[in-house]
Amino acid sequence: MSASAAAMPQPGRARAFLRLVMIEHSVFALPFAYIAALTAMFQWDRNIHWGRLLLVTVCMVGLRTFAMAVNRIIDREIDARNPRTAHRELVTGAMSVKHAWTGALIALVVFLGSAALLNPLCLALAPIAVIPMVVYPYGKRFTNFPQAILGLAQAMGPVGGWLAISGEWSWDAVILGLAVGVWIGGFDLIYACQDIETDREIGVMSVPARFGIPAAIWGARVCHALTTGLFVWYAVATGAGAFFWFGLVIVAGAFVYEHSIVRPHDLSRLNRAFFSVNGFIGIALFGCALLDLLVRGLTV
């Protein structure tokens, strides 16, 4: 067999890996890292630094790819016992564990390398950001609240985005990070409701499995109310303008819509709430935040 023929499976494995880590779901957290980074640029010198913004993108995608790959590897036996996840690549054999680990480690090296190119503080704190990414998939084995670990992991994005630009700690970024963490933890409460019967059967721990779907839905509503409050706090702390506040009105409306279509006894539109609405929230707020910063003097 020629070397070129031997290389033929590689694109298939690459596509399988991208499906494994659901690369398109970067849309949930990436916009908020951009909001933090651009706000830091605005406060620094009011110029967009495209090179740093590119490195922020590479860092975020690298870390998320590593986290998703590790999640799939650790959960592959649980996934095999759940009809909803039994089609995943590590279960069907479309992707081997060896190749999944290879992809995960490459993503980790990309993340650490990008952090090193940003500034010394980013590199020093990068290993700390990795920890909750690895702990989260184990969370469902020892706590009924794995979404809290997920929220902590997702909160790293805006904090890291700000650090990438300023090289200094920012409590404003922490507020935004908490908002993102509580938001994603909240909608994961909703998402976990679809697995309640299987989780109870195989012993996976979660809020719905332990306390029931109504409790999980109400918990998500509380989380999203807190998220809205944290976004307001961030807007006040950073002196946001009218367009950012308009974005918050859009986000609040999206939350109301999300919780109007997902009810304890009707999960038929859960995927619309999870994928469409939450993807829209991130993109809409980022668009409004960017417009607000540009109107206030951020230079492209």
Side-chain angles (χ1 to χ4, degrees):
M1 181 182 292
S2 68
S4 60
M8 286 297 289
Q10 294 297 330
R13 285 202 293 264
R15 286 194 294 271
F17 182 76
L18 293 177
R19 290 195 302 270
L20 179 78
V21 300
M22 302 175 75
I23 195 71
E24 68 276 9
H25 287 187
S26 299
V27 70
F28 291 140
L30 194 55
F32 296 94
Y34 286 156
I35 291 173
L38 290 170
T39 304
M41 291 178 190
F42 177 78
Q43 294 187 3
W44 182 20
D45 64 359
R46 300 201 170 197
N47 290 307
I48 295 180
H49 298 265
W50 293 102
R52 293 197 182 199
L53 203 59
L54 175 61
L55 286 174
V56 168
T57 305
V58 174
C59 273
M60 287 289 295
V61 174
L63 181 57
R64 186 199 168 277
T65 300
F66 167 77
M68 283 295 294
V70 169
N71 189 311
R72 294 292 189 255
I73 293 167
I74 293 171
D75 278 353
R76 65 189 185 278
E77 293 182 3
I78 291 176
D79 288 345
R81 300 174 66 184
N82 185 334
R84 183 181 64 82
T85 57
H87 68 282
R88 287 178 176 169
E89 287 73 16
L90 288 176
V91 178
T92 64
M95 167 69 59
S96 70
V97 174
K98 176 183 176 181
H99 289 131
W101 271 120
T102 299
L105 293 176
I106 290 173
L108 181 61
V109 169
V110 168
F111 165 65
L112 294 174
S114 302
L117 291 173
L118 283 165
N119 58 61
L121 184 58
C122 282
L123 179 59
L125 295 178
I128 297 176
V130 173
I131 294 172
M133 307 298 176
V134 177
V135 173
Y136 167 63
Y138 290 107
K140 61 179 69 72
R141 294 162 171 83
F142 64 81
T143 177
N144 290 313
F145 305 97
Q147 286 78 19
I149 305 172
L150 176 64
L152 176 63
Q154 297 296 331
M156 302 285 184
V159 175
W162 197 295
L163 287 173
I165 307 306
S166 69
E168 299 177 351
W169 185 260
S170 168
W171 289 107
D172 293 344
V174 171
I175 296 169
L176 183 59
L178 287 174
V180 173
V182 174
W183 166 54
I184 292 180
F187 75 66
D188 197 62
L189 283 174
I190 299 174
Y191 195 67
C193 289
Q194 63 189 320
D195 295 327
I196 182 170
E197 298 301 331
T198 302
D199 286 351
R200 287 173 173 173
E201 180 182 342
I202 66 179
V204 170
M205 302 174 74
S206 70
V207 170
R210 173 65 179 83
F211 302 103
I213 291 176
I217 298 296
W218 277 105
R221 290 171 179 171
V222 171
C223 284
H224 292 160
L226 288 173
T227 298
T228 304
L230 287 165
F231 280 147
V232 169
W233 187 6
Y234 175 78
V236 172
T238 57
F243 284 105
F244 189 90
W245 285 101
F246 178 68
L248 294 188
V249 173
I250 295 175
V251 169
F255 280 147
V256 170
Y257 173 71
E258 179 177 11
H259 289 283
S260 72
I261 65 173
V262 178
R263 299 180 179 276
H265 303 294
D266 181 10
L267 301 179
S268 61
R269 291 181 287 182
L270 184 147
N271 282 332
R272 183 193 300 180
F274 184 80
F275 297 110
S276 301
V277 178
N278 287 299
F280 168 78
I281 285 172
I283 294 172
L285 189 59
F286 168 68
C288 290
L290 175 60
L291 182 59
D292 185 65
L293 291 170
L294 291 172
V295 168
R296 293 164 57 202
L298 182 66
T299 302
V300 177

